[in-house]
């Protein structure tokens, strides 16, 4: 029986990509060595990096006035790097609070500047995204930060905030490359790799040229976007293996028909699962319909005493890593690009069967 991995990240990768990795692991392109053993300064690796960037630009439609950085740091590091690099003498920045990850960015941002929480759904138990009409944006803010898909709370923006001249900065970690994205609407986009990009150990930054300036004096050298761009993401040894796997994922997305095709499949996958959950009185979800994430679907059993039995039985059926994040409990099914529709249907069959035995 095939296993399906619903982890929020590190997450399932396309089987085709993993097979390719296995085939080339010991002997990359007939060179007699592993890609892991290539010097990052070799012409071979430089070519891998250039191809990865080119494929990403093509898949996402990155305009020429944006730079791409392959960062060694996880997504969390950008909560510090963003203020260090983007404040540029200003003392205030706007943050939107919509759940766990946007809050973590806020906490970190407070080390560097006066954080204005321009909108928050905390009093709403993080169940709905605050409408833009209710945002109190500061025209003097250095940037506006938000998280476009809350991996833990299961909310996803299906619209792009309008912040006028103030650069919009987005943590797109958990739905990056799941659908087309108008890059030109953003000052900066960042995303950790371990969801739709590849294995852990990498994050991507896409930043508009005019935002690249030397950071606050005293900033650790690896944390300068400006210098990373000048060094072509090689201020130090980059995560070469992870970048190679990411490049294979970008090529896989192209073969699937690009982001428009990805978006259509992702829409169908999440719709059938939400539909199954909505039709049942045994399971419940909490996020408002229009704000539900297509990638991360948290749900609860009405009787939490059954949680462990549910997880044990799911595991026995090779439906893996469905446990919800510790801060919200319950279950969570992550349906990233690499999760096939068959995996979602297998989960629905199990949900219904479990309900019929325990409901
Ligand atoms: N932002 C979001 C939306 C995330 O989902 C995560 C991790 N799951 C992070 C930031 C933190 O990423 P990392 O562990 O790579 O620092």
């Amino acid at each position: 029986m095939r296993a399906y991995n619903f982890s929020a990240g590190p997450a399932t990768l396309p089987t085709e990509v993993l097979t390719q990795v296995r085939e080339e692991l010991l002997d990359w392109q007939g060179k007699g060595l592993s890609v892991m053993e290539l010097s990052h300064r070799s012409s071979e690796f430089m070519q891998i990096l250039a191809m990865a960037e080119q494929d990403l630009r093509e898949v996402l439609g990155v305009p020429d006035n944006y730079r791409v950085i392959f960062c060694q740091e996880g997504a969390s590091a950008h909560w510090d790097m963003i203020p260090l690099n983007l404040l540029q003498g200003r003392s205030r920045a706007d943050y939107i609070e919509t759940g766990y990850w946007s809050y973590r960015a806020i906490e970190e941002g407070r080390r560097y500047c006066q954080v204005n929480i321009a909108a928050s759904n905390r009093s709403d138990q993080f169940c709905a995204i605050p409408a833009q009409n209710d945002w109190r944006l500061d025209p003097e803010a250095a940037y506006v930060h938000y998280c476009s898909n809350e991996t833990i709370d299961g909310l996803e923006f299906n619209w792009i905030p309008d912040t006028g001249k103030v650069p919009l900065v987005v943590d797109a970690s958990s739905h990056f490359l799941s659908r087309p994205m108008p890059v030109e609407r953003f000052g900066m986009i960042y995303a950790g790799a371990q969801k739709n990009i590849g294995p852990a150990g990498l994050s991507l930054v896409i930043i508009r040229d005019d935002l690249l300036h030397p950071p606050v004096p005293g900033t650790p050298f690896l944390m300068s976007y400006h210098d990373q761009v000048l060094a072509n993401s090689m201020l130090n040894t980059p995560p070469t293996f992870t970048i190679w796997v990411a490049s294979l994922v970008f090529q896989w997305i192209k073969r699937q028909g690009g982001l428009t095709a990805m978006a259509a499949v992702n829409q169908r996958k999440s719709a059938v699962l939400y539909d199954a959950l909505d039709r049942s009185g045994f399971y419940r979800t909490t996020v408002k319909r229009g704000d539900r994430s297509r990638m991360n679907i948290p749900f609860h059993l009405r009787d939490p005493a059954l949680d462990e039995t549910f997880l044990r039985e799911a595991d026995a059926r090779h439906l893996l890593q469905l446990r919800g994040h510790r801060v919200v409990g319950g279950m969570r099914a992550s349906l990233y690009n690499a999760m096939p529709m068959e995996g979602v249907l297998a989960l629905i069959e199990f949900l219904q069967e479990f309900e019929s035995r325990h409901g």
Side-chain angles (χ1 to χ4, degrees):
M1 188 187 198
R2 196 192 145 170
Y4 296 106
N5 173 9
F6 295 92
S7 166
T12 189
L13 286 165
T15 307
E16 239 180 81
V17 168
L18 291 176
T19 307
Q20 204 175 341
V21 169
R22 183 182 62 194
E23 279 165 8
E24 295 202 45
L25 198 62
L26 298 188
D27 185 8
W28 175 74
Q29 300 207 342
K31 299 267 185 201
L33 48 64
S34 172
V35 77
M36 280 187 259
E37 302 167 314
L38 276 177
S39 161
H40 60 294
R41 307 276 174 202
S42 64
S43 60
E44 287 90 348
F45 181 73
M46 297 294 244
Q47 214 177 325
I48 290 172
L49 185 64
M51 279 290 291
E53 177 171 343
Q54 194 184 314
D55 284 332
L56 174 69
R57 283 183 171 276
E58 187 182 324
V59 163
L60 195 60
V62 179
D64 289 344
N65 61 329
Y66 284 75
R67 301 296 125 221
V68 175
I69 311 174
F70 291 81
C71 289
Q72 176 92 250
E73 299 82 9
S76 313
H78 299 286
W79 304 331
D80 298 276
M81 292 167 80
I82 289 160
L84 285 167
N85 286 273
L86 300 190
L87 279 171
Q88 292 298 319
R90 292 185 187 251
S91 59
R92 307 206 298 266
D94 282 342
Y95 283 75
I96 310 302
E97 183 183 39
T98 47
Y100 181 85
W101 292 113
S102 52
Y103 180 66
R104 293 291 305 274
I106 288 170
E107 277 191 316
E108 212 55 30
R110 285 187 170 132
R111 292 169 183 271
Y112 306 95
C113 62
Q114 207 181 313
V115 164
N116 170 41
I117 300 181
S120 171
N121 59 356
R122 180 171 287 273
S123 62
D124 208 8
Q125 282 79 49
F126 303 118
C127 286
I129 292 174
Q132 167 122 34
N133 286 344
D134 300 327
W135 294 18
R136 292 174 313 277
L137 294 172
D138 171 1
E140 291 305 313
Y143 54 85
V144 180
H145 178 279
Y146 80 115
C147 174
S148 50
N149 187 75
E150 290 279 5
T151 323
I152 293 176
D153 308 272
L155 293 101
E156 183 176 25
F157 277 76
N158 56 26
W159 48 280
I160 295 170
D162 180 0
T163 56
K165 286 191 168 37
V166 180
L168 182 59
V169 175
V170 65
D171 175 357
S173 293
S174 47
H175 70 169
F176 191 63
L177 302 183
S178 69
R179 65 181 180 198
M181 189 175 185
V183 176
E184 65 285 355
R185 298 278 304 273
F186 299 89
M188 174 180 150
I189 300 167
Y190 68 101
Q194 64 273 20
K195 290 111 168 39
N196 275 331
I197 299 171
L202 171 76
S203 60
L204 291 181
V205 168
I206 300 170
I207 183 165
R208 211 171 58 215
D209 279 340
D210 62 286
L211 298 175
L212 285 166
H213 300 287
V216 174
T219 299
F221 80 104
L222 284 175
M223 303 191 95
S224 163
Y225 295 137
H226 175 263
D227 291 356
Q228 282 289 10
V229 165
L230 288 181
N232 191 27
S233 303
M234 293 229 235
L235 280 175
N236 69 332
T237 314
T240 53
F241 179 73
T242 301
I243 291 174
W244 175 60
V245 180
S247 80
L248 301 181
V249 171
F250 301 153
Q251 288 163 18
W252 175 81
I253 293 175
K254 278 168 51 172
R255 291 197 297 278
Q256 306 312 299
L259 295 189
T260 308
M262 280 325 337
V265 178
N266 287 329
Q267 185 58 39
R268 284 201 294 277
K269 287 185 320 199
S270 57
V272 290
L273 181 52
Y274 278 118
D275 189 47
L277 292 168
D278 288 344
R279 277 190 279 113
S280 144
F282 187 76
Y283 306 100
R284 69 185 170 84
T285 59
T286 53
V287 176
K288 189 182 140 205
R289 274 174 200 248
D291 298 334
R292 287 167 158 183
S293 170
R294 299 158 309 134
M295 295 284 108
N296 309 102
I297 303 183
F299 62 92
H300 293 263
L301 275 62
R302 289 217 181 261
D303 178 5
L306 288 170
D307 281 3
E308 294 306 320
T309 313
F310 178 93
L311 287 165
R312 209 173 39 247
E313 290 190 14
D315 221 63
R317 289 175 173 237
H318 308 287
L319 302 170
L320 309 177
Q321 309 203 70
L322 283 161
R323 190 185 291 280
H325 191 275
R326 61 186 189 283
V327 304
V328 292
M331 310 297 155
R332 172 175 51 174
S334 294
L335 312 183
Y336 295 121
N337 286 348
M339 172 60 63
M341 180 58 108
E342 299 82 72
V344 183
L345 296 177
L347 174 60
I348 292 172
E349 192 185 318
F350 171 65
L351 289 172
Q352 291 169 345
E353 195 256 334
F354 189 85
E355 177 175 352
S356 70
R357 276 186 293 113
H358 296 277

